[in-house]
Amino acid sequence: MATESNPLLGSTPSSSSAPPPPRVGVAIIELEHISIASASAAIITPPFSFTKLISFTGPGILMATAFLDPGNLEGDLQAGAIAGYSLLWLLFWATAMGCLIQVTAARVGVVTGKGLAEVCREEYAPWARVVLWGMVEVAVIAADIQEVIGTAIGVQILSRGVVPVWASVVITAVDCFAFLFLETYGVRKLEASLAALVATMAAAFAWMFIDARPSGEKLLVGVLVPKLSSRTIQQAVGFVGCVITPHNVFLHSALVQSREIDRNRTGQVQEAINYFSIESALALLVSFMINLFVTTVFAKGFYGTEQANSVGLKNAGQYLEEKYGGGALPILYLWGIGLLAAGQSSTITGTYAGQFIMGGFLNLRLKQWLRAIITRSFAIVPTMIVAIAFNRTEGAMDILNEWLNVVQSMQIPFALIPLFTVVSKKQVMGVFRIGPNIERVAWIIVTLVMVINVYVVYDFFMNQVKGIISGFFFFVLTTAYAAFILYLVSHDGALPSAWLKPTLSQWISYINNKLIKHYELQESQSSRVNMPSSSTLPEFYGKG
């Protein structure tokens, strides 16, 4: 079948010497005052088909596993144990926010035929894309550590401690390659295997939910009625941070290219966007229900108890066994099965994301098996070292998890800012760029996430960073970090308005002033610390 030319996106110039006649579609794209919505109104898509929806189903399932990784499950259980049912509304809206982000990522992949990493390689200067790649790769490694540790804990629970952590880590790595090997038989085989793991999670945690019998009335009120207190603010921040995984944005934009689409036909492109959006929403609805099951089980069992503040991923199985006992299938093993499925599925998609990220940013052209080994080794080696080193005590694991959450939180802007910059550009997206209203919502989300990011980083480092040397290096890194963000938001007029730029500058000033006050207080309270006088601190750290 001949490829149909698309008048809205323009056509290839004729090889003859005569200039091509002007096209109405080109004029539509060039005129600034004509809205994208009116241009899109001319796009005709085929009627909805369940059969075609099934053919597009798959990428959303892989994407949704990042909403169900062991780090998310730990956030769920801690929120339930400490805040009870009161943050379920936030879980719902955070998932909805994540859905908008992932649908936008899929839109970029469908329209451009490239992953977000490839688009960033073309849009940014060489130094900027290398920095971006480094930041996203750090996020992949941090997520991988949590996923591998979660899988190892699942193996330990099911083996009753017979299999040591280092062996569990090796098993996870080998299993990951085994699952990825399925892709050689077609991506649909890999998607089916991940769907089976998600179904395993859903069945295990739903069984736990039925056994625990949480209050239906409290659950409904928790979902529908917003409620937040100073005691639960940390868990609330964790809920929002957990659903936005930087590498997942890059992954989803690449996964949607597994379906053949004639990008010269706007109707087919819009149809693909519609089906991928529906599929993503359904997959994230399943992830929301699974997270809801976990949160309510721990809310029912531990909210208001002495164990509420001490329950974590490593001891959760023991606490569940003590609280709920056995049954036809003991809840300890249900938790272990669900945790193992969560860790294994998210590790696979994390490895898959690493391939697309490294290949896209660095323009690697290697055989698939070789690229998988390189990208897997790049993350699994530090993962094994860290997982084994920190597995000595529960306290060490908790500290590690806090550090990993902060590291991933800091990388979120380096996924969202390029994503919303690209999807708003007419030169890249043509008539499929997002409209002004969605663009404003998108940048509000970026702003919200970055405010939360500032809170997480400030709160954590005020408690962890001690001493003048550590403070100085933290200040230097924070300044460089903020400067790069300012570069990204100012690149090619990324923002729809200028009000966010001074806001970012105010955040930098706020953090700087807080650092100064923090170390002044340290000096006044402890004569053992040899620090500069308070009068020299502003010059030492830089004025806010």
Side-chain angles (χ1 to χ4, degrees):
M1 183 187 301
T3 301
E4 181 178 319
S5 176
N6 178 9
L8 289 177
L9 297 179
S11 59
T12 305
S14 172
S15 58
S16 63
S17 58
R23 301 292 295 272
V24 175
V26 175
I28 291 177
I29 292 178
E30 294 299 328
L31 290 176
E32 289 290 337
H33 67 275
I34 294 182
S35 68
I36 297 299
S38 62
S40 300
I43 300 175
I44 300 175
T45 59
F48 177 81
S49 166
F50 279 106
T51 302
K52 188 162 284 189
L53 175 61
I54 293 173
S55 70
F56 278 91
T57 298
I61 296 173
L62 273 68
M63 171 272 296
T65 59
F67 288 69
L68 299 167
D69 67 11
N72 279 42
L73 298 183
E74 182 160 31
D76 293 339
L77 66 88
Q78 289 176 344
I82 295 173
Y85 300 86
S86 64
L87 295 180
L88 293 178
W89 66 274
L90 188 59
L91 173 62
F92 173 79
W93 286 108
T95 305
M97 183 173 66
C99 184
L100 174 61
I101 292 170
Q102 295 302 149
V103 166
T104 304
R107 187 185 193 91
V108 171
V110 170
V111 173
T112 64
K114 303 171 185 175
L116 182 59
E118 295 176 270
V119 177
C120 288
R121 189 184 74 239
E122 297 173 354
E123 289 292 316
Y124 293 101
W127 70 269
R129 62 178 179 244
V130 170
V131 175
L132 267 178
W133 168 68
M135 292 296 189
V136 179
E137 199 66 57
V138 167
V140 172
I141 294 173
D144 216 13
I145 292 172
Q146 288 182 316
E147 292 157 2
V148 169
I149 290 176
T151 307
I153 293 173
V155 171
Q156 282 193 307
I157 290 174
L158 297 177
S159 67
R160 279 295 187 176
V162 173
V163 181
V165 171
W166 67 266
S168 300
V169 172
V170 173
I171 291 171
T172 303
V174 173
D175 285 351
C176 185
F177 280 117
F179 274 103
L180 289 175
F181 181 72
L182 291 173
E183 192 191 7
T184 59
Y185 295 97
V187 71
R188 300 288 284 181
K189 302 291 191 303
L190 180 63
E191 292 170 352
S193 66
L194 266 294
L197 288 174
V198 172
T200 301
M201 265 186 279
F205 294 138
W207 195 331
M208 286 174 53
F209 178 83
I210 294 170
D211 278 351
R213 298 179 183 176
S215 169
E217 180 183 352
K218 292 180 180 178
L219 188 156
L220 190 61
V221 171
V223 172
L224 298 178
V225 180
K227 184 180 179 182
L228 189 62
S229 67
S230 58
R231 191 172 60 88
T232 60
I233 188 68
Q234 187 174 1
Q235 283 68 42
V237 169
F239 256 154
V240 177
C242 283
V243 300
I244 304 174
T245 311
H247 69 266
N248 204 37
V249 175
F250 290 88
L251 172 66
H252 200 196
S253 65
L255 288 174
V256 296
Q257 296 169 46
S258 60
R259 285 8 181 217
E260 292 186 7
I261 303 166
D262 185 354
R263 292 179 175 81
N264 292 317
R265 305 179 65 177
T266 55
Q268 278 197 21
V269 174
Q270 185 61 58
E271 181 186 39
I273 292 173
N274 294 343
Y275 282 123
F276 281 128
S277 299
I278 295 171
E279 184 237 4
S280 298
L282 293 175
L284 291 182
L285 177 61
V286 173
S287 78
F288 167 73
M289 293 304 299
I290 293 174
N291 285 314
L292 179 76
F293 292 154
V294 175
T295 303
T296 52
V297 165
F298 283 86
K300 169 68 182 302
F302 304 103
Y303 177 59
T305 66
E306 294 180 357
Q307 299 100 325
N309 291 312
S310 59
V311 64
L313 202 63
K314 191 170 184 180
N315 59 16
Q318 175 189 342
Y319 282 5
L320 285 170
E321 187 176 37
E322 293 172 356
K323 181 68 179 181
Y324 295 106
L329 182 59
I331 197 168
L332 171 67
Y333 293 116
L334 289 172
W335 173 250
I337 291 170
L339 186 58
L340 178 61
Q344 190 66 74
S345 60
S346 56
T347 303
I348 294 167
T349 53
T351 302
Y352 215 32
Q355 295 183 40
F356 290 123
I357 290 167
M358 183 177 285
F361 275 113
L362 304 184
N363 196 25
L364 294 181
R365 293 293 181 264
L366 302 173
K367 292 182 178 179
Q368 188 169 329
W369 64 269
L370 180 59
R371 187 174 63 177
I373 291 176
I374 292 174
T375 54
R376 174 79 296 206
S377 301
F378 200 86
I380 199 64
V381 172
T383 296
M384 292 179 67
I385 294 172
V386 173
I388 294 171
F390 278 83
N391 192 54
R392 298 173 183 176
T393 64
E394 291 179 10
M397 292 290 286
D398 291 339
I399 292 174
L400 172 63
N401 193 59
E402 288 181 17
W403 275 93
L404 294 174
N405 286 337
V406 170
V407 167
Q408 292 183 80
S409 177
M410 292 179 67
Q411 312 312 316
I412 291 174
F414 305 120
L416 297 191
I417 294 175
L419 172 66
F420 291 130
T421 299
V422 167
V423 82
S424 305
K425 290 187 69 172
K426 187 166 52 180
Q427 300 92 326
V428 177
M429 301 294 292
V431 297
F432 295 103
R433 61 165 288 192
I434 58 175
N437 291 332
I438 297 180
E439 186 178 1
R440 292 188 190 98
V441 172
W443 285 105
I444 288 172
I445 290 175
V446 173
T447 306
L448 173 63
V449 169
M450 292 179 68
V451 168
I452 293 173
N453 189 32
V454 168
Y455 169 82
V456 170
V457 175
Y458 170 74
D459 179 70
F460 180 75
F461 279 98
M462 287 302 97
N463 294 322
Q464 297 294 330
V465 178
K466 307 295 181 183
I468 191 68
I469 302 300
S470 299
F472 173 72
F473 280 111
F474 173 57
F475 170 75
V476 171
L477 291 174
T478 302
T479 303
Y481 174 85
F484 188 55
I485 289 178
L486 286 172
Y487 164 79
L488 292 178
V489 298
S490 62
H491 178 73
D492 281 351
L495 293 180
S497 60
W499 66 272
L500 280 176
K501 297 177 185 178
T503 303
L504 287 172
S505 300
Q506 291 170 8
W507 291 347
I508 298 170
S509 177
Y510 173 79
I511 294 172
N512 195 14
N513 289 331
K514 286 291 184 181
L515 279 169
I516 293 169
K517 291 179 182 178
H518 173 72
Y519 287 104
E520 285 178 339
L521 182 62
Q522 269 195 341
E523 183 198 32
S524 65
Q525 291 179 344
S526 175
S527 60
R528 293 175 297 174
V529 181
N530 184 19
M531 296 177 62
S533 65
S534 59
S535 61
T536 62
L537 278 170
E539 287 76 20
F540 186 81
Y541 287 106
K543 295 182 179 179

